[in-house]
Amino acid sequence: MYKIFHGFHLVEAYQDLKKAKRLAKNRTVTRCIKLTVAITLSLILWFLPIDTFGIEGLTVIEQRLISIFIFATLMWVFEAIPAWTTSVLIVVLLLLTVSDSSLWFLTQNISADELGQTVKYKSIMHCFADPIIMLFIGGFILAIAATKSGLDVLLARVMLRPFGTQSRYVLLGFILVTAAFSMFLSNTATAAMMLTFLTPVLKVLPADGKGKIGLAMAIPVAANVGGMGTPIGTPPNAIALKYLNDPEGLNLNIGFGEWMSFMLPYTVIVLFIAWFILLRLFPFKQKNIELQIEGEAKKDWRSIVVYITFAITVVLWMFDKVTGVNSNVVAMIPVAVFCITGVITKRDLEEISWSVLWMVAGGFALGVALQETGLAKHMIEAIPFNTWPPVLMIVGSGLICYAMANFISHTATAALLVPILAIAGSSMRENLFSLGGVETLLIGVAIGASLAMILPISTPPNALAHATGMIQQKDMEKVGIIMGIIGLILGYTMLIILGSNKLL
């Protein structure tokens, strides 16, 4: 996480609290039990007779992959260790047990037919340098440069000014500005920054008023919803986009600007709905609020370079289909410019959120293994997806994702579900056609993940806002459930209409 970012102390306090909870003596036994359950179940699946699974054509490699997949699922659900650590562990397990560079004793005395198709070790390791990973790195670099130059403070001050001093419009301003930042910056960093700007406002509001609850809730809601607007706004978006654009898979060639063309209007509508809900649930007693955002934008030549490069990058992203320059390639422009000009230094590179990148890469590695070993194909053949009602397939997957993402990492949830659903969707394209196709299926999962914000543990922005002491868990649950229901209904309606009319 960015130590130079406004509000980093909030993120640091949150991370310290999570670490303290993991290391607490009274949780040691619980962690050991969770680890034991995950490892034991995985080993049972590893050593079961192959015919026990009831999947025709299942090989030894595929059985091992099932074991690893279940291990990953349990570890991400239990969170006995950090989620990104699980991802790295998964990659190593895949390399050592199911790749063409596996440990020698795992391939000896097993016939080629019985062993099955291994995964190219290069394919697994390429996941760490996937174009989507480069897209995220470009986004992180932009965020760091914006903070160093003071561009984030300047934008926040300029963007909030038009909303005046009336309480209801100040609330709307914080919602829209937070959402705008979260489209290009980390949701966590955005929430931390905006909560810092909000702190002096909360202090001057009446202690017995509900308005301060609405303002504090506005930050995580806007950060989670706003992230849906761009492919780099949140990892589930990028994961869905990878499989939608995979040249060897769906190959739909959805660009950065194209994603924004249908997700940005949806995001704006949901944000205005959130504004209305927060005003109704938490009305203000004080009708006017004076905003004071401290900090100045720098005016040296390096800062000018940041402003110009930031604008050019965003424009190129939005019009990638017009320019012909892929959004993943565009992401490398700010990296090159800022490194050459000295805007980004070696120290700054250390501030990139590598844990997020490793988390995403681990999910990609699982997807690669599912495809290359043939396990995905065998699973699709064993499960009669083609006989399922399209509505059940699409809406059911979104609801499952929403339910899971409230309790485990949004990224982990998408990493588990999207690879399987991408292959399942491909096998029943004709059935899904009337409801918008595979695009509705996968983008719906990304929406379901981002809307999961019922609990303080559902997402870091929730936890940061809850830590202010302004929000009770019951308030967060109420807002989260309402936003989840409305967001999913509106999201699937939009996707089905656009998809069925070939506008997606």
Side-chain angles (χ1 to χ4, degrees):
M1 198 54 65
Y2 321 122
K3 293 181 180 178
I4 59 174
F5 218 97
H6 298 283
F8 173 75
H9 63 285
L10 297 175
V11 182
E12 194 170 41
Y14 165 60
Q15 297 294 347
D16 289 343
L17 179 62
K18 285 183 66 178
K19 185 177 180 180
K21 286 183 177 179
R22 286 199 304 269
L23 298 177
K25 290 183 179 179
N26 60 351
R27 292 200 58 184
T28 302
V29 175
T30 303
R31 289 177 64 219
C32 290
I33 291 173
K34 290 177 178 179
L35 284 169
T36 302
V37 170
I39 294 171
T40 302
L41 287 177
S42 301
L43 288 175
I44 290 173
L45 291 171
W46 183 288
F47 291 110
L48 275 175
I50 286 183
D51 54 12
T52 306
F53 292 87
I55 302 176
E56 188 175 349
L58 193 70
T59 64
V60 171
I61 289 291
E62 291 172 16
Q63 180 180 359
R64 292 173 185 171
L65 183 53
I66 290 174
S67 173
I68 293 172
F69 186 89
I70 296 302
F71 175 75
T73 303
L74 293 174
M75 291 297 286
W76 277 330
V77 170
F78 291 158
E79 289 190 318
I81 59 176
W84 67 269
T85 310
T86 298
S87 289
V88 175
L89 179 58
I90 289 165
V91 172
V92 174
L93 289 173
L94 291 173
L95 288 169
L96 294 178
T97 62
V98 302
S99 77
D100 56 6
S101 186
S102 299
L103 294 168
W104 79 96
F105 60 84
L106 294 176
T107 58
Q108 283 182 338
N109 303 321
I110 303 176
S111 66
D113 290 339
E114 185 182 356
L115 182 65
Q117 180 63 48
T118 57
V119 187
K120 299 182 184 67
Y121 79 91
K122 290 183 179 179
S123 297
I124 296 175
M125 300 188 82
H126 282 168
C127 291
F128 284 108
D130 188 274
I132 292 294
I133 299 295
M134 296 300 109
L135 182 64
F136 265 99
I137 288 177
F140 289 149
I141 290 294
L142 275 179
I144 295 172
T147 301
K148 290 187 69 175
S149 65
L151 178 60
D152 52 354
V153 175
L154 174 63
L155 288 174
R157 185 183 294 114
V158 171
M159 292 167 72
L160 283 169
R161 187 176 298 144
F163 295 95
T165 60
Q166 286 191 44
S167 301
R168 60 171 51 235
Y169 294 117
V170 170
L171 174 64
L172 178 61
F174 269 101
I175 289 174
L176 295 181
V177 172
T178 300
F181 276 118
S182 69
M183 291 179 191
F184 298 96
L185 279 62
S186 154
N187 289 354
T188 306
T190 296
M193 177 181 72
M194 296 305 291
L195 283 169
T196 300
F197 295 155
L198 188 61
T199 300
V201 176
L202 296 175
K203 289 180 179 178
V204 300
L205 289 175
D208 59 343
K210 291 185 177 181
K212 58 172 58 181
I213 301 175
L215 274 170
M217 275 299 308
I219 304 304
V221 169
N224 292 321
V225 173
M228 294 188 282
T230 66
I232 63 169
T234 180
N237 291 3
I239 293 171
L241 196 63
K242 172 185 169 60
Y243 287 94
L244 288 169
N245 290 345
D246 186 359
E248 298 180 3
L250 298 170
N251 196 26
L252 297 178
N253 194 29
I254 298 175
F256 195 104
E258 193 174 353
W259 177 283
M260 289 189 68
S261 69
F262 57 83
M263 286 302 294
L264 186 57
Y266 164 75
T267 299
V268 172
I269 293 171
V270 174
L271 290 171
F272 272 95
I273 291 173
W275 177 49
F276 175 77
I277 291 170
L278 291 174
L279 282 176
R280 291 298 298 271
L281 293 178
F282 312 108
F284 286 92
K285 290 185 68 174
Q286 184 170 316
K287 300 304 178 184
N288 290 287
I289 298 174
E290 293 293 336
L291 288 179
Q292 292 182 348
I293 297 179
E294 298 180 358
E296 294 291 335
K298 298 178 181 178
K299 298 179 180 179
D300 58 279
W301 70 269
R302 284 193 174 92
S303 297
I304 301 300
V305 169
V306 173
Y307 306 154
I308 295 173
T309 306
F310 195 102
I312 291 174
T313 302
V314 172
V315 169
L316 288 174
W317 267 336
M318 294 178 67
F319 297 98
D320 55 349
K321 285 297 184 71
V322 177
T323 63
V325 183
N326 187 280
S327 58
N328 304 320
V329 175
V330 172
M332 298 308 295
I333 294 175
V335 177
V337 172
F338 294 157
C339 289
I340 290 172
T341 57
V343 172
I344 295 294
T345 65
K346 181 174 67 173
R347 292 286 185 186
D348 296 324
L349 293 177
E350 296 172 1
E351 303 303 325
I352 290 178
S353 188
W354 294 105
S355 61
V356 172
L357 299 179
W358 286 347
M359 181 75 197
V360 174
F364 288 172
L366 268 180
V368 166
L370 283 169
Q371 292 183 4
E372 289 200 10
T373 60
L375 176 59
K377 180 182 177 182
H378 285 144
M379 289 175 66
I380 300 304
E381 291 172 350
I383 303 172
F385 285 110
N386 285 318
T387 64
W388 290 18
V391 173
L392 175 63
M393 183 75 177
I394 289 178
V395 178
S397 62
L399 291 174
I400 290 171
C401 179
Y402 174 75
M404 289 177 60
N406 273 300
F407 298 96
I408 67 173
S409 159
H410 292 184
T411 307
T413 303
L416 287 170
L417 295 179
V418 172
I420 296 175
L421 291 173
I423 298 164
S426 298
S427 70
M428 54 183 300
R429 272 186 168 182
E430 294 183 3
N431 292 14
L432 298 176
F433 184 79
S434 62
L435 294 178
V438 188
E439 301 95 305
T440 301
L441 182 67
L442 299 190
I443 297 175
V445 168
I447 290 175
S450 293
L451 289 172
M453 47 182 157
I454 292 177
L455 303 171
I457 63 167
S458 297
T459 173
N462 279 26
L464 293 176
H466 187 263
T468 63
M470 301 292 176
I471 306 170
Q472 295 184 20
Q473 183 165 319
K474 64 178 182 180
D475 294 324
M476 187 168 283
E477 290 171 355
K478 187 188 302 180
V479 174
I481 291 171
I482 294 172
M483 290 304 303
I485 294 171
I486 294 175
L488 285 171
I489 292 173
L490 187 62
Y492 277 113
T493 302
M494 174 201 70
L495 291 172
I496 290 171
I497 292 173
L498 293 178
S500 58
N501 288 282
K502 299 296 182 182
L503 298 175
L504 191 59

